[in-house]
Amino acid sequence: MEDKLKKTKIIFVVGGPGSGKGTQCEKIVQKYGYTHLSTGDLLRAEVSSGSDRGKTLSAIMEKGQLVPLDTVLEMLREAMIAKLDTSKGFLIDGYPREVKQGEEFEQKIGAPTLLLYVDAGAETMTKRLLKRGETSGRVDDNEETIKKRLETYYQATEPVITHYKDRGIVRKINAEGSPDDVFKEICTHLDQLK
Ligand code: ADP
Ligand code: MG
């Protein structure tokens, strides 16, 4: 089990809130058949369950802050193990959110094969999130929380990209264009993985 986890293909999908990670992961799943795991979705599922842990998590997410590392990593690991036998590889969406999360992931799970850096400007991300907020029902898709999420992103998450650059696994994707244009660029990188 542990061995298999170490050998599997792992793709980190890193980018700011609203950069289009979820949108692109959906397309990647369709074309390449990888298993998509969004830490945000996993956390929101825990919140919906109404558990005590979920209530604590919801309060943190509403403030645009990062939830405790151990909680996210444990959820991710459990989800990966559950899908390991049938998976062609994992798309890890929204993780690592800080360098420490990446280090812990590598210790407990394995090393990333590739990091897709989904890059959109703050203005674009804000616009997309406000639009998404009209229908998403997410507690963090409002103007005030978006500001804080962007701060958290620039302060904690951007250093993740620098951290992995030296390994030569970072692929920067211009995410300002249409979903299809962004996806085309992603494909040029994923096609080289096979
Ligand atoms: P993330 O998972 O990175 O937070 P999402 O994929 O949920 O971002 O995208 C946020 C919002 O922006 C969604 O409402 C989505 O429809 C929209 N969106 C995503 N990518 C693009 C794009 N390339 N162009 C325009 N809108 C986009
Ligand atoms: Mg998302």
Side-chain angles (χ1 to χ4, degrees):
M1 177 75 88
E2 303 291 316
D3 263 11
K4 202 163 176 195
L5 204 50
K6 284 227 153 69
K7 274 185 215 139
T8 193
K9 219 178 274 170
I10 293 170
I11 301 167
F12 284 162
V13 184
V14 178
S19 58
K21 301 182 295 294
T23 304
Q24 294 303 320
C25 282
E26 237 176 75
K27 291 177 178 292
I28 297 170
V29 169
Q30 273 178 27
K31 177 160 180 191
Y32 298 91
Y34 294 139
T35 308
H36 177 209
L37 293 175
S38 151
T39 52
D41 291 348
L42 291 170
L43 291 165
R44 282 185 288 277
E46 181 77 30
V47 171
S48 306
S49 79
S51 68
D52 281 340
R53 183 157 84 162
K55 282 182 191 122
T56 313
L57 292 173
S58 183
I60 298 169
M61 287 158 88
E62 254 172 82
K63 285 188 256 172
Q65 295 169 353
L66 298 179
V67 307
L69 193 163
D70 294 340
T71 313
V72 200
L73 191 54
E74 196 44 41
M75 288 173 120
L76 209 44
R77 205 181 116 82
E78 278 168 22
M80 287 179 79
I81 287 172
K83 305 251 166 85
L84 194 56
D85 279 335
T86 53
S87 182
K88 291 186 188 170
F90 290 95
L91 281 174
I92 308 294
D93 163 5
Y95 189 102
R97 287 284 228 275
E98 56 185 354
V99 172
K100 186 96 203 305
Q101 288 190 354
E103 290 169 347
E104 293 278 316
F105 183 99
E106 293 200 46
Q107 248 179 47
K108 301 208 166 94
I109 299 176
T113 317
L114 204 70
L115 187 156
L116 293 176
Y117 166 28
V118 184
D119 181 33
E123 213 174 297
T124 301
M125 294 194 275
T126 305
K127 237 194 308 189
R128 288 179 186 169
L129 289 174
L130 287 174
K131 184 101 183 71
R132 183 174 77 182
E134 289 170 11
T135 52
S136 70
R138 281 178 51 161
V139 295
D140 55 355
D141 280 347
N142 59 77
E143 202 150 3
E144 202 187 318
T145 309
I146 290 169
K147 266 196 203 122
K148 291 187 189 136
R149 289 163 73 197
L150 286 174
E151 268 169 37
T152 303
Y153 172 70
Y154 289 118
Q155 189 237 321
T157 311
E158 265 202 347
V160 168
I161 294 148
T162 317
H163 178 77
Y164 287 103
K165 227 169 213 161
D166 289 346
R167 275 193 225 175
I169 62 168
V170 173
R171 301 291 178 272
K172 183 174 177 176
I173 312 295
N174 175 0
E176 289 283 333
S178 74
D180 283 343
D181 284 345
V182 178
F183 186 56
K184 259 183 223 150
E185 199 180 328
I186 288 181
C187 288
T188 65
H189 299 295
L190 293 186
D191 285 343
Q192 288 173 15
L193 269 191
K194 283 187 252 168

